[in-house]
Amino acid sequence: MPEKFDVIVVGAGPAGTSCAYTCAKNGLNVLLIERGEFPGSKNVMGGILYRKQMEEVIPEFWKEAPLERPVIEQRFWFLDKESMVTTSYKDLEWGKEPCNNFTVLRAKFDKWFASKAVEQGATLINETVVTECIVDEEGKVIGVRTDRPDGDVYADVVVLCDGVNSLLAKKLGFHKEWKPEEVALTVMEVMKLPKKTINERFNVNDDQGVSIEIFGDATQGALGTGFLYTNKDSINIGVGTTLSGMIKKKMRPHHLLEYVKEHPMIQPYIEGAESLEYLAHLIPEGGYKAIPKLVGDGVIVAGDAAQLVNAIHREGSNMAMSSGKMAAETIMKAKELGEYTERVLDSYRTELYDSFIGKDLKKYKDTAHTFEEHPQYFEQYVPLMNRAMNTMFTVDGTAKWDKQKKIMKSFTEKRGKLGVAKDIYRAWRVVK
Amino acid sequence: MNMDEYRGVWVFIEQIEGKVLDVGLELLGAGKELAEKLEVDLCGVLIGNNVKHLANEVFEYGADKVYVIDDPIVDQYRTETYMVAVGDLVRKYKPEIFLYGATANGKDLASAVATEVMTGLTADTTLLDVNVEKRLFEASRPAFGGNIMATILCKKHRPQMATVRPKVMKKQEPETGRTGELIEETISLKEENLRTKVLDIVRDTSKKVNLEDADIIVAAGKGIKDEKGLQMVAGLADVLNGTLGASRDIVEAGLISHDHQVGQTGLTVTPKLYIAIGISGAVQHTVGMENSETIIAINNDPDAAIFNKAHYGIVADAFEIVPILTEEFKKALHVEAEEGDVAHAGEV
Amino acid sequence: MNILVCIKQVPDTKIIKVNPKTNTLDRSSAPAILNPYDAHAVEEAVRLKEVHGGKVTVLSMGPPQAKAAIKKCIEIGADEGYLISDRRFAGADTLATSYALFKAIQKMMNEQGVDLVLCGKHAIDGDTGQTGPGIARRMEIPPLTNVIKVEKVDTVANEIVVHRKIENGYERIQSTLPCLLTVEKEINQVAYSPLPNMLRAARYNPIIWTVDDLDEVDIKQLGLKGSPTIVGKMWPPEKSKGAELIEGDVKKQATEIVALVLSKQELFEVKGGE
Ligand SMILES: Cc1cc2nc3c(=O)[nH]c(=O)nc-3n(C[C@H](O)[C@H](O)[C@H](O)COP(=O)(O)OP(=O)(O)OC[C@H]3O[C@@H](n4cnc5c(N)ncnc54)[C@H](O)[C@@H]3O)c2cc1C
Ligand SMILES: Cc1cc2nc3c(=O)[nH]c(=O)nc-3n(C[C@H](O)[C@H](O)[C@H](O)COP(=O)(O)OP(=O)(O)OC[C@H]3O[C@@H](n4cnc5c(N)ncnc54)[C@H](O)[C@@H]3O)c2cc1C
Ligand SMILES: Nc1ncnc2c1ncn2[C@@H]1O[C@H](COP(=O)(O)O)[C@@H](O)[C@H]1O
């Protein structure tokens, strides 16, 4: 006779583990199913873990979790072929507990996080793929089927945290295939570099980290960004653009990464580093408008599977964690009522939309769309900005006033006076 | 234990169906050096049914003494009987060093004897020496799955025992007519008290890979990645009429059977030509092939350790160069074959 | 039929890499796994149990982390797992290992008999293959090493027939039970574990014994103290003078190799009888 649990959570990423942890902590009998060799073994993330949402799941997690470095400086690079404009914010306060956010390596972090859920009493099984939800005649999800012999297992509620592709939610008809402009393909490499070298190159000490977001030439003008994050003794370097952008520009992802690594502005930072791992992964970037159906009878969708990613700020793991936790809280309420229908579980959806997740995603709901429709932001403004700086700072005897005029002219020549004004307004509207 | 009572270097002489295995003779060569340094006798241990006459061969290969147990009960190898036979000899005659060939039965026997007489045993050694002053046997082997050799010592127990891979040591020239002292012992076991019985032995004569006798070996390592890569290397081996070798990593990955494995726990080979493709050159591998006449290594990492052992190195992507090589050899060997220089190489 | 399987957790040596420049080991990324040969031993035990009934128990000596390897065996289908773990076991060579395992087996046998003991052919961290025969000798049961097939088990007559791999073939050998087998990979294919086993393994806690839980142990025979062999020195192997590098593009490199190989006439001479 197959076993029955209170809750089955599919996928031990940040969303699934937060959900399983919270359920187990509150006394529910939870099964967490992960297809990788261990949680995190295949998971990919540029590497910024936001403290706030993690802390809500496990208070003071930083005392114990395998973290790399707290980020004390966020840099932004606007890259052209041989020049760049940069801005940055550095805050030593961020280096002190509880810190602002951290760099992490997912293989280590997810494994640890899942072990905490197990400590709370969750049952974790690895190397097992959930192939579909088991649905009864009335359309209620009553369990899952795995790829193992005698592989059915039942529960009152199934929480789908199976990541961006969420085949399971697709099979339930909750959403359709993502459109190429709704997902970004990101490739990254973890590169080994001695701690001392990292400290020197990034101007930090042992327990300080830097995040660098790269715009412009990193993606050769396509919509997307590159990044460079410091771990303890490695760095993560990556670049991603929407799938549609890649298709349009006929780019191959690994070529793009090679391009970034060889870029004269970036290369010195990774000089001599040895590649440890190459990873590629999709990021859901459809935003607010792409959020699928989130609940059904006996089932809830959370994390990337629900498209909960803020592409502008590259926040995903935090939304995953919060949504997983909210799912758990909803299930606890449902348990009190003894009913797991869509009607009862729907409070998850309303709560989610009311939370920072719903609000942030709504705020940026047109962003990706706008940038996709108007490639000038990435293709033209970054180079223009660089040329402007070049004009301004190259000492060649021209008066500064004349220089400014020249810069304005270069902008308007490219886009037309009205064009520039429109662009500025549009950009302000979507990201304000 | 009074360690001073233990003297002499012993070699287990494994025989199958009345034929002495080469590894025993190789170990007599290695044992002779140790015995000479320690100024003691080199002794062979010969066990079987109707095997006494084999002692002559053992003397010719350098043994001063041969201990023989000739009895129908030890006709075929069984741990049960051999362990007692050898254990009794050790207890009675007290050797200080005892070497076994690392064959299936040699390893089995050495492990059982080690426990029987409570002493240390070092497996799969590739280098033997002795500290004369301390009369300490220094048995070395590759360790930790990497490029490190470790010497294993057995300070407080005797005999000091080791197994050695076939072909690692060189067989010395036999001295015809050389003799020595034959010591015959008996075994007290009775068949009806025994618990094991060999029903039959099935020899697989169809064995296709014969790495040890091959003149040309083309060996593949993890760098060839998958089945397709392996086929590519096999293609080159074919054209050269060579035999396909392998590193442990691709054997472990299930791409090819263990008969192809070269190295510490595979075979030791000495072909005229060894081409290593996509092999990093860990000691466990190189101890099995470093005595090849000509070694050519192909690897895309200029720092690969294999280049330390190779005579010729090519830093290239195997997937690029191997197909070209195969084509070129095909052309070259066909042409020459027509001229009658090389009769068979192109026929593949 | 009660079957006991000795299993070991080992570093995945396929992943441990040595830095060729510094000759140092890079163990950081080598995960610990169940010795692959032992997985086959457990699988064989489970298959025998399915036919002959009884129970499969696994036993391991190692640090607390070795629990993970025992859980893996539960996934494969073992019923129970014991870990003997104690600082006093540390540093054991094969003689001391077989002693400690033997003492644990003795203790287990107070509770129930053992009809068959299985081990892997060898553990991939050392490739010695000495522990199995050592245990058998101590238990005074026959060891049958390098087994590639269990042909027959007769629990009434207490007999087993197995195939032992030897050079150039195999032998069929019969033994009384109990006996000890060490198994090769060819013996079976480890099946994909069913979900109920996975669930059981996830919740399973191996029984842990320290030295004090065992009866009449001679401490002097344990761990480093009880190990006759010790590691003397370690050194990087001697480097030969190094390869002569053939430079140029692939075309040129290939042409040079071909010329070089062809210049070795003797390689392509006809051999008699071919
Ligand atoms: C290159 C890159 C950089 C990023 N950088 C950041 C960053 O810096 N900061 C940030 O906050 N976010 C970042 N993100 C986004 C973040 O990684 C995701 O939003 C987050 O991982 C989502 O968590 P999740 O639990 O929903 O899904 P995942 O982390 O994808 O976890 C899903 C889990 O489910 C398992 N699974 C899938 N299908 C099945 C199945 N059928 N059966 C069983 N198990 C299954 C998977 O193995 C996996 O463990 C980045 C993403 C990428 C790709
Ligand atoms: C107890 C013990 C016993 C062992 N016994 C043996 C033994 O008997 N025999 C044995 O071989 N090993 C043995 N090993 C394993 C040994 O330590 C090494 O792990 C193994 O030899 C490595 O195999 P490899 O060179 O094929 O793989 P790797 O070390 O992974 O090397 C692959 C190589 O291929 C190169 N490469 C990659 N791609 C390409 C390409 N496209 N073109 C060209 N080159 C490429 C890489 O640069 C690398 O150098 C043993 C280990 C242990 C612990
Ligand atoms: N520490 C250990 N605990 C349990 N079994 C072991 C241990 N060490 C070795 N064995 C068993 O003995 C076999 C041979 O190991 P080894 O002699 O180390 O090559 C292994 O496959 C295991 O079955």
Side-chain angles (χ1 to χ4, degrees):
Chain A
M1 190 32 212
E3 269 195 62
K4 181 164 180 269
F5 288 81
D6 292 331
V7 187
I8 293 172
V9 180
V10 183
T17 300
S18 299
C19 181
Y21 180 93
T22 311
C23 287
K25 193 172 169 190
N26 288 285
L28 297 185
N29 187 16
V30 195
L31 173 62
L32 178 57
I33 306 178
E34 167 57 41
R35 73 174 164 196
E37 206 180 319
F38 58 86
S41 57
K42 289 184 190 160
N43 293 347
V44 185
M45 174 162 112
I48 306 298
L49 178 84
Y50 301 90
R51 189 224 345 139
K52 180 77 172 39
Q53 286 78 21
M54 180 66 204
E55 190 179 15
E56 284 168 8
V57 182
I58 303 185
E60 304 206 320
F61 67 94
W62 57 84
K63 298 220 151 92
E64 204 191 319
L67 305 166
E68 292 297 315
R69 296 176 185 237
V71 174
I72 62 143
E73 185 181 356
Q74 292 181 308
R75 299 182 193 165
F76 302 89
W77 289 358
F78 300 88
L79 202 62
D80 200 357
K81 300 275 178 237
E82 290 197 314
S83 64
M84 65 179 176
V85 180
T86 71
T87 78
S88 79
Y89 179 69
K90 186 169 184 167
D91 192 332
L92 295 178
E93 200 59 39
W94 285 352
K96 297 177 199 142
E97 281 182 18
C99 305
N100 184 38
N101 51 43
F102 302 90
T103 51
V104 295
L105 289 166
R106 285 285 296 272
K108 284 188 196 159
F109 182 81
D110 288 15
K111 193 175 177 183
W112 170 83
F113 192 16
S115 78
K116 298 310 277 184
V118 171
E119 261 175 38
Q120 293 296 337
T123 301
L124 165 70
I125 60 171
N126 296 315
E127 297 178 272
T128 303
V129 181
V130 173
T131 52
E132 61 184 326
C133 293
I134 303 172
V135 183
D136 71 5
E137 311 85 63
E138 283 142 38
K140 180 180 183 322
V141 172
I142 52 168
V144 298
R145 178 152 299 152
T146 67
D147 65 338
R148 291 193 174 269
D150 302 329
D152 290 0
V153 53
Y154 295 94
D156 289 331
V157 197
V158 173
V159 186
L160 302 180
C161 303
D162 52 339
V164 55
N165 272 325
S166 193
L167 298 174
L168 300 173
K170 261 179 232 169
K171 275 196 188 161
L172 288 176
F174 281 20
H175 63 74
K176 294 183 235 30
E177 279 300 329
W178 309 130
K179 298 192 203 91
E181 60 273 18
E182 284 172 348
V183 283
L185 179 59
T186 307
V187 287
M188 62 176 277
E189 248 175 74
V190 183
M191 302 190 83
K192 193 171 162 177
L193 207 59
K195 193 176 263 167
K196 202 166 149 268
T197 315
I198 295 180
N199 293 354
E200 282 164 12
R201 287 186 191 169
F202 292 86
N203 190 23
V204 287
N205 58 34
D206 278 359
D207 36 35
Q208 298 177 330
V210 174
S211 72
I212 304 175
E213 306 293 340
I214 308 166
F215 304 91
D217 197 43
T219 50
Q220 296 183 297
L223 172 57
T225 56
F227 59 86
L228 195 62
Y229 300 147
T230 55
N231 300 320
K232 280 203 180 90
D233 35 31
S234 62
I235 48 186
N236 290 352
I237 181 166
V239 59
T241 83
T242 54
L243 215 47
S244 54
M246 287 229 180
I247 296 167
K248 227 181 271 170
K249 298 230 161 201
K250 295 199 176 66
M251 284 186 296
R252 296 265 201 85
H254 60 278
H255 287 164
L256 192 57
L257 184 57
E258 281 311 308
Y259 180 80
V260 170
K261 283 166 64 183
E262 282 162 21
H263 194 285
M265 290 291 162
I266 297 170
Q267 198 277 336
Y269 286 86
I270 58 168
E271 170 82 43
E274 176 198 346
S275 176
L276 294 176
E277 223 178 338
Y278 173 88
L279 303 154
H281 204 87
L282 293 175
I283 308 184
E285 298 204 337
Y288 194 75
K289 289 175 179 161
I291 297 176
K293 182 170 154 64
L294 293 173
V295 287
D297 285 341
V299 63
I300 298 182
V301 188
D304 275 10
Q307 285 268 14
L308 306 179
V309 169
N310 176 345
I312 295 295
H313 294 271
R314 208 191 296 280
E315 291 176 25
S317 64
N318 56 341
M319 296 193 171
M321 283 175 190
S322 291
S323 61
K325 183 163 174 276
M326 278 180 222
E329 284 157 355
T330 304
I331 291 166
M332 271 133 41
K333 273 181 248 155
K335 175 138 180 136
E336 267 167 38
L337 298 172
E339 189 187 323
Y340 303 95
T341 55
E342 178 168 347
R343 195 181 57 84
V344 169
L345 299 179
D346 196 54
S347 67
Y348 165 72
R349 189 184 55 85
T350 45
E351 239 178 79
L352 192 95
Y353 275 91
D354 276 347
S355 72
F356 83 101
I357 299 177
K359 287 179 184 147
D360 281 6
L361 292 182
K362 189 162 183 188
K363 173 169 171 212
Y364 295 120
K365 70 181 188 316
D366 294 317
T367 320
H369 180 70
T370 303
F371 287 133
E372 179 89 7
E373 297 277 281
H374 304 279
Q376 63 271 24
Y377 289 104
F378 284 82
E379 277 178 353
Q380 294 174 3
Y381 281 118
V382 175
L384 281 172
M385 243 161 84
N386 276 276
R387 246 160 282 148
M389 291 298 164
N390 176 289
T391 310
M392 203 65 189
F393 296 125
T394 307
V395 179
D396 58 3
T398 319
K400 293 289 183 239
W401 177 243
D402 290 336
K403 283 190 173 187
Q404 266 175 33
K405 273 205 294 204
K406 196 169 153 209
I407 290 167
M408 250 345 266
K409 199 156 158 253
S410 73
F411 276 64
T412 50
E413 254 169 19
K414 259 261 153 57
R415 300 281 310 145
K417 265 205 183 98
L418 194 59
V420 174
K422 269 197 200 153
D423 286 346
I424 292 171
Y425 175 69
R426 210 183 285 118
W428 176 76
R429 272 264 314 268
V430 296
V431 301
K432 74 166 192 307
Chain B
M1 150 173 301
N2 180 0
M3 297 205 299
D4 291 335
E5 288 176 4
Y6 289 76
R7 285 295 179 266
V9 175
W10 285 19
V11 172
F12 174 64
I13 307 295
E14 187 176 349
Q15 55 81 30
I16 293 180
E17 289 156 12
K19 210 180 155 309
V20 171
L21 295 191
D22 267 355
V23 65
L25 306 177
E26 291 159 21
L27 293 187
L28 286 171
K32 189 85 195 168
E33 282 181 34
L34 301 175
E36 277 168 3
K37 284 191 191 165
L38 290 168
E39 299 175 11
V40 292
D41 285 340
L42 174 69
C43 313
V45 174
L46 190 55
I47 295 170
N49 188 22
N50 295 325
V51 292
K52 204 166 29 175
H53 65 283
L54 297 176
N56 292 332
E57 192 179 352
V58 182
F59 289 132
E60 288 182 350
Y61 276 91
D64 303 304
K65 288 180 188 162
V66 175
Y67 297 95
V68 179
I69 292 177
D70 202 329
D71 191 313
I73 208 167
V74 283
D75 187 25
Q76 267 147 347
Y77 177 81
R78 276 181 290 182
T79 325
E80 212 183 352
T81 53
Y82 270 55
M83 172 181 83
V84 171
V86 175
D88 284 348
L89 288 176
V90 168
R91 276 186 286 260
K92 184 162 175 188
Y93 294 102
K94 300 186 170 34
E96 57 191 321
I97 292 175
F98 198 164
L99 308 176
Y100 303 75
T103 58
N105 290 340
K107 290 186 78 158
D108 180 290
L109 176 64
S111 311
V113 171
T115 322
E116 172 82 21
V117 303
M118 291 290 162
T119 192
L121 169 63
T122 307
D124 295 319
T125 55
T126 58
L127 205 72
L128 306 176
D129 202 352
V130 67
N131 176 332
V132 179
E133 202 183 315
K134 295 187 180 146
R135 303 192 79 84
L136 202 54
F137 179 42
E138 298 174 333
S140 304
R141 57 171 299 194
F144 299 116
N147 279 320
I148 294 224
M149 293 288 292
T151 303
I152 312 294
L153 308 172
C154 174
K155 288 188 173 162
K156 298 196 184 109
H157 294 70
R158 293 293 179 271
Q160 311 166 81
M161 310 214 298
T163 60
V164 186
R165 284 262 134 202
K167 289 251 183 174
V168 172
M169 302 296 159
K170 280 227 163 62
K171 205 156 74 170
Q172 301 301 318
E173 280 302 309
E175 191 185 322
T176 4
R178 186 176 181 283
T179 62
E181 185 185 349
L182 189 73
I183 300 153
E184 289 185 69
E185 283 291 335
T186 53
I187 185 167
S188 56
L189 297 172
K190 290 209 181 66
E191 189 63 50
E192 58 270 26
N193 296 333
L194 295 181
R195 288 173 291 182
T196 53
K197 191 158 105 199
V198 176
L199 303 176
D200 50 46
I201 293 179
V202 183
R203 298 269 171 221
D204 182 7
T205 44
S206 70
K207 196 174 141 193
K208 279 164 226 85
V209 265
N210 192 351
L211 276 180
E212 281 162 305
D213 296 334
D215 276 343
I216 300 181
I217 293 176
V218 183
K222 209 58 196 289
I224 59 94
K225 294 191 176 62
D226 51 18
E227 182 62 38
K228 246 176 73 195
L230 184 67
Q231 286 314 320
M232 175 183 81
V233 175
L236 177 60
D238 256 8
V239 170
L240 289 169
N241 209 6
T243 308
L244 192 59
S247 73
R248 183 170 88 160
D249 282 26
I250 69 163
V251 172
E252 291 280 316
L255 287 176
I256 190 167
S257 71
H258 184 264
D259 323 352
H260 292 269
Q261 184 177 318
V262 172
Q264 186 200 355
T265 47
L267 295 161
T268 304
V269 297
T270 49
K272 294 195 172 121
L273 175 65
Y274 190 92
I275 306 185
I277 302 175
I279 294 179
S280 60
V283 248
Q284 279 99 348
H285 186 81
T286 56
V287 290
M289 45 65 79
E290 62 196 344
N291 292 325
S292 307
E293 213 165 277
T294 301
I295 300 170
I296 300 179
I298 300 176
N299 198 304
N300 62 2
D301 174 5
D303 294 323
I306 191 77
F307 292 128
N308 294 325
K309 296 288 177 189
H311 303 101
Y312 301 96
I314 291 98
V315 179
D317 180 352
F319 290 90
E320 265 185 64
I321 197 163
V322 174
I324 305 181
L325 275 176
T326 311
E327 270 318 299
E328 296 278 311
F329 274 121
K330 222 181 235 169
K331 274 191 261 164
L333 292 171
H334 262 301
V335 173
E336 297 203 32
E338 275 161 21
E339 288 167 0
D341 276 336
V342 275
H344 74 256
E347 286 168 19
V348 190
Chain C
M1 185 156 81
N2 288 329
I3 309 176
L4 178 87
V5 191
C6 294
I7 65 110
K8 186 179 189 187
Q9 189 182 48
V10 294
D12 193 344
T13 49
K14 274 179 289 182
I15 301 180
I16 295 193
K17 283 288 167 258
V18 173
N19 182 332
K21 280 164 243 172
T22 58
N23 259 318
T24 50
L25 303 180
D26 179 12
R27 285 164 187 265
S28 55
S29 56
I33 56 167
L34 170 64
N35 181 34
Y37 292 90
D38 301 353
H40 291 272
V42 177
E43 176 76 23
E44 194 62 22
V46 170
R47 291 184 188 196
L48 289 171
K49 180 186 92 168
E50 275 164 15
V51 179
H52 303 283
K55 191 175 160 189
V56 175
T57 309
V58 301
L59 168 65
S60 187
M61 178 177 89
Q65 302 89 280
K67 275 192 282 189
I70 292 181
K71 284 178 163 239
K72 199 88 203 168
C73 299
I74 304 285
E75 286 180 11
I76 300 173
D79 298 292
E80 217 70 73
Y82 290 78
L83 174 66
I84 57 170
S85 192
D86 195 309
R87 282 184 178 282
R88 287 168 281 179
F89 292 130
D93 71 358
T94 51
L95 195 73
T97 300
S98 68
Y99 178 71
L101 292 171
F102 167 63
K103 279 290 158 190
I105 295 172
Q106 263 189 333
K107 161 115 180 173
M108 292 160 77
M109 284 171 76
N110 291 340
E111 283 152 40
Q112 60 181 4
V114 170
D115 302 300
L116 187 64
V117 181
L118 296 183
C119 284
K121 171 198 166 193
H122 62 221
I124 60 165
D125 55 351
D127 277 15
T128 71
Q130 293 169 185
T131 308
I135 296 170
R137 170 66 194 84
R138 291 176 188 275
M139 292 178 71
E140 298 185 347
I141 60 174
L144 307 173
T145 51
N146 305 67
V147 171
I148 48 173
K149 184 176 174 171
V150 176
E151 183 185 298
K152 188 182 99 181
V153 177
D154 185 336
T155 46
V156 181
N158 261 333
E159 256 172 29
I160 188 167
V161 177
V162 304
H163 295 188
R164 271 191 77 217
K165 184 169 162 180
I166 50 176
E167 280 73 22
N168 278 326
Y170 65 90
E171 67 181 21
R172 288 174 64 235
I173 183 164
Q174 178 186 308
S175 171
T176 55
L177 291 174
C179 67
L180 179 143
L181 317 181
T182 77
V183 309
E184 299 267 357
K185 284 188 176 174
E186 292 102 303
I187 194 163
N188 57 38
Q189 258 197 328
V190 181
Y192 195 46
S193 306
L195 190 70
N197 287 11
M198 300 295 292
L199 292 171
R200 185 159 179 270
R203 292 182 286 223
Y204 186 79
N205 277 318
I207 300 148
I208 300 186
W209 281 345
T210 66
V211 172
D212 303 325
D213 293 309
L214 306 179
D215 303 324
E216 291 170 36
V217 179
D218 174 9
I219 301 285
K220 286 197 301 297
Q221 292 195 52
L222 292 177
L224 204 57
K225 258 193 250 154
S227 300
T229 59
I230 55 159
V231 177
K233 59 174 184 207
M234 301 228 269
W235 78 97
E238 171 195 340
K239 291 186 178 172
S240 44
K241 62 179 180 338
E244 177 187 320
L245 286 187
I246 297 176
E247 315 271 355
D249 63 7
V250 265
K251 266 250 137 57
K252 182 162 170 289
Q253 287 175 323
T255 324
E256 277 194 42
I257 300 183
V258 173
L260 194 116
V261 170
L262 292 180
S263 73
K264 299 192 179 297
Q265 285 280 335
E266 75 279 7
L267 284 176
F268 302 100
E269 274 157 14
V270 201
K271 273 194 219 154
E274 247 190 87

